Amino acid sequence: MNFLCIDDLSLEEIDGIFKMADILREERKLLLQGKTFVLFFPESSIRTRLSFEKGIKDLGGECILFPPSTLDKREALIDVSNYIDNWADGIIVRHSDYDRICALATGSNIPVINAMTSHNHPCEILSDIYAISRLRSDYLNLNYTFVGGGGNIANSWTAAAEVFGFTLNHVCRDKYKIKENSETYRFATSIDDVLKDSDIVLTDPLPKELREASYYDEYQITLDRMKACRRHALLNPCPPFYRGEEVSADVIDSEYFVGYTFKENLIYVQQAIILHCLGIDAGY
């Protein structure tokens, strides 16, 4: 099966992926031995590409890498994927255009996994939720607050809130509202009242139009703002983050910041996603 967005999965399937990630943390198994994966990644990708490549190789698989521009051609992408099917067992793509990844997946006989688009970033957010679940068993009952524009990270957290059923507060200027307020999505333009009830604070690098002093005054996550959150609150800015923009330098150096340790889980969750898409159970 393909994995293109978080709401492709049921809660039961996500629970299975999380359980597989637990197993893979404890024991390296050569479950991908003899399997080859075609990866489309830009040179600028660091964390996602490294964790996918190492994750595949740690399970005994092989990778063949192409730049994502390889997919920007007149040839129908369904034809591309069906040719790749002759020599590979899966395709992992980081490409700005979500529709192109969907086109590649349409009719493909091998799994296509979305490693990031300008619309969403499902593997990253699923990994973050897994990391939170390891620290907080009550993770489904926590209040999540995303501060920033309505880009791919905000879209994936919004989708995750709908699938998992937790509350996501989105705080930014009015034009960045993603959808109407609902049981799982709440939009606000004032940050301080929302932070008082927040357990998990999330950010994303700012779009160009928000990189200005007045935005930082209104919305930058600082140490003082984190201190106003609920007890044991965590700060998880999406990398790359920029000190002095969406987050202050002092809050990154504080105990609230969990970004580095959270990303350790990328490798295990992405391995589990690959195995799930291939129908392989890590428990055997």
Side-chain angles (χ1 to χ4, degrees):
M1 65 172 289
N2 303 315
F3 180 53
L4 305 182
C5 52
I6 287 176
D7 48 15
D8 283 346
L9 301 173
S10 67
L11 272 178
E12 182 179 4
E13 289 173 314
I14 292 171
D15 182 62
I17 288 170
F18 284 5
K19 286 177 178 175
M20 278 200 281
D22 286 339
I23 293 169
L24 295 165
R25 286 182 63 90
E26 301 301 323
E27 183 181 356
R28 182 181 297 184
K29 299 185 175 187
L30 300 181
L31 297 171
L32 297 181
Q33 195 162 35
K35 297 189 181 298
T36 300
F37 296 84
V38 174
L39 277 57
F40 294 91
F41 274 86
E43 291 182 356
S44 60
S45 179
I46 300 174
R47 287 159 289 267
T48 311
R49 175 183 164 185
L50 178 59
S51 52
F52 263 117
E53 283 202 50
K54 179 173 170 53
I56 290 168
K57 291 176 181 178
D58 282 353
L59 295 180
E62 299 290 338
C63 302
I64 299 173
L65 183 69
F66 292 92
S69 58
T70 310
L71 300 175
D72 298 333
K73 54 173 64 180
R74 289 181 59 229
E75 182 181 10
L77 291 176
I78 187 173
D79 296 327
V80 173
S81 63
N82 280 297
Y83 279 116
I84 292 175
D85 178 41
N86 288 312
W87 311 293
D89 301 280
I91 302 171
I92 300 168
V93 192
R94 179 166 176 159
H95 192 290
S96 61
D97 190 340
Y98 177 70
D99 289 339
R100 294 199 73 75
I101 294 183
C102 291
L104 190 68
T106 300
S108 176
N109 295 313
I110 56 177
V112 176
I113 295 174
N114 174 5
M116 195 186 83
T117 70
S118 59
H119 171 68
N120 63 353
H121 202 350
C123 295
E124 177 103 356
I125 302 321
L126 206 60
S127 171
D128 284 350
I129 296 170
Y130 172 77
I132 293 166
S133 74
R134 289 181 56 80
L135 292 178
R136 299 286 297 269
S137 60
D138 60 344
Y139 73 104
L140 294 180
N141 298 317
L142 301 179
N143 272 346
Y144 295 71
T145 295
F146 177 87
V147 183
N152 59 351
I153 303 302
N155 287 336
S156 285
W157 276 107
T158 299
E162 292 175 353
V163 173
F164 284 90
F166 58 72
T167 299
L168 178 72
N169 303 296
H170 181 194
V171 183
C172 199
R173 292 177 178 165
D174 274 321
K175 67 176 286 188
Y176 294 98
K177 185 175 184 178
I178 293 174
K179 55 180 286 188
E180 292 304 310
N181 285 0
S182 66
E183 290 184 5
T184 61
Y185 177 86
R186 299 174 186 169
F187 184 80
T189 56
S190 177
I191 189 172
D192 293 316
D193 288 342
V194 175
L195 287 181
K196 287 189 300 184
D197 295 321
S198 299
D199 299 289
I200 310 294
V201 180
L202 311 154
T203 67
D204 190 25
L206 299 174
K208 186 176 181 180
E209 61 268 25
L210 292 181
R211 295 177 208 157
E212 29 109 337
S214 63
Y215 179 89
Y216 304 151
D217 290 341
E218 286 182 80
Y219 297 111
Q220 185 184 83
I221 301 301
T222 63
L223 184 55
D224 285 341
R225 279 186 164 141
M226 284 303 302
K227 288 178 179 178
C229 296
R230 286 179 173 174
R231 190 180 178 191
H232 303 308
L234 304 175
L235 171 64
N236 181 41
C238 180
F241 56 81
Y242 299 95
R243 294 171 175 85
E245 293 187 10
E246 72 271 28
V247 290
S248 64
D250 59 354
V251 80
I252 295 300
D253 294 330
S254 75
E255 62 183 7
Y256 295 104
F257 172 65
V258 292
Y260 304 143
T261 54
F262 266 36
K263 294 312 172 195
E264 176 192 359
N265 295 289
L266 262 178
I267 193 167
Y268 306 113
V269 173
Q270 289 172 174
Q271 285 176 326
I273 289 170
I274 292 170
L275 295 176
H276 174 78
C277 290
L278 290 172
I280 298 173
D281 191 333
Y284 294 95

